[in-house]
Amino acid sequence: NAGVTQTPKFQVLKTGQSMTLQCAQDMNHNSMYWYRQDPGMGLRLIYYSASEGTTDKGEVPNGYNVSRLNKREFSLRLESAAPSQTSVYFCASSNRGDTEAFFGQGTRLTVV
Amino acid sequence: AQSVAQPEDQVNVAEGNPLTVKCTYSVSGNPYLFWYVQYPNRGLQFLLKYITGDNLVKGSYGFEAEFNKSQTSFHLKKPSALVSDSALYFCAVTAWYGNNRLAFGKGNQVVVIP
């Protein structure tokens, strides 16, 4: 049982490059989330998808786009990476609001 | 939108002493509340949750939390801290009305001193 799988685990980008972070869950969860974690800032919600076919902005959506490809997969795209997007990115999924979320192992992204 | 405040950056406690990590929340309507723990270079792991019912909830590894609606708080507690409890702790909230938006606090670093 893999849970939530994120790829890649590490990435270095140059300013202006684009990339897509992939996330897949095998628990048949309805909701999926993308967070970024920065020192002293906690986990900030970038985008979330309450159910297949819907996506909504979180606290810090600027510079990002998402796609809920199907119930399993939720990708995060950086169109033109900036140094301010250097962070650790976590994907998570949950079934309903009253059930706990499961997290991936994170993607450590550095933009130079 | 829902939000969480964790007022202390770091909590230092001697091994064997009680541990408390504070959390207050803001949400429209009734909350679902969660605590998670993060060890270095790892994802977050679920500890416990409050959904409804008894205000004192018990979770993994001897942790418990008390829901206080009037104070909008959900403090995490452990009667006797272990060195292995040293980690980053996050409080999170979502709302009953079902948009499933899950908001986290900034986290508290807990350091248990041998």
Side-chain angles (χ1 to χ4, degrees), chain B residues 55-110:
Chain B
N55 288 345
L56 184 65
V57 294
K58 296 185 184 296
S60 308
Y61 313 120
F63 284 95
E64 57 189 31
E66 186 162 13
F67 171 64
N68 186 318
K69 187 171 184 177
S70 63
Q71 297 186 3
T72 62
S73 67
F74 188 56
H75 301 330
L76 181 70
K77 301 179 181 182
K78 187 172 184 181
S80 178
L82 301 172
V83 172
S84 57
D85 293 328
S86 298
L88 191 56
Y89 291 80
F90 288 95
C91 182
V93 66
T94 188
W96 277 30
Y97 56 81
N99 68 357
N100 284 7
R101 178 182 174 133
L102 181 61
F104 282 80
K106 65 179 175 63
N108 285 118
Q109 183 68 49
V110 169

Side-chain angles (χ1 to χ4, degrees), chain A residues 61-94:
Chain A
N62 291 345
Y64 305 95
N65 285 301
V66 290
S67 295
R68 183 77 183 263
L69 304 169
N70 47 53
K71 195 170 186 179
R72 289 188 65 246
E73 299 173 285
F74 188 41
S75 63
L76 178 72
R77 183 160 178 86
L78 287 70
E79 290 291 352
S80 178
S84 60
Q85 294 177 305
T86 294
S87 188
V88 181
Y89 291 85
F90 286 100
C91 178
S93 71
S94 68

Side-chain angles (χ1 to χ4, degrees), chain A residues 41-60:
Chain A
M41 303 294 289
L43 283 170
R44 292 183 291 171
L45 183 63
I46 305 171
Y47 273 93
Y48 68 107
S49 171
S51 60
E52 187 179 358
T54 68
T55 60
D56 288 286
K57 295 179 180 179
E59 300 172 64
V60 288

Side-chain angles (χ1 to χ4, degrees), chain A residues 31 33 35 37 97-98 101, chain B residues 32 36 38 49 94 99-100 102:
Chain A
S31 300
Y33 309 85
Y35 294 90
Q37 183 177 21
D98 62 346
Chain B
Y32 295 139
Y36 292 82
Q38 184 182 34
K49 65 182 178 182
T94 188
N99 68 357
N100 284 7
L102 181 61

Side-chain angles (χ1 to χ4, degrees), chain A residues 13-19 78-83 85 111-112:
Chain A
L13 288 179
K14 294 182 179 179
T15 298
Q17 286 185 318
S18 62
M19 79 161 296
L78 287 70
E79 290 291 352
S80 178
Q85 294 177 305
V111 182
V112 297

Side-chain angles (χ1 to χ4, degrees), chain B residues 12-27:
Chain B
N12 296 326
V13 61
E15 187 175 24
N17 280 4
L19 169 63
T20 299
V21 187
K22 295 180 180 178
C23 169
T24 58
Y25 67 90
S26 173
V27 69

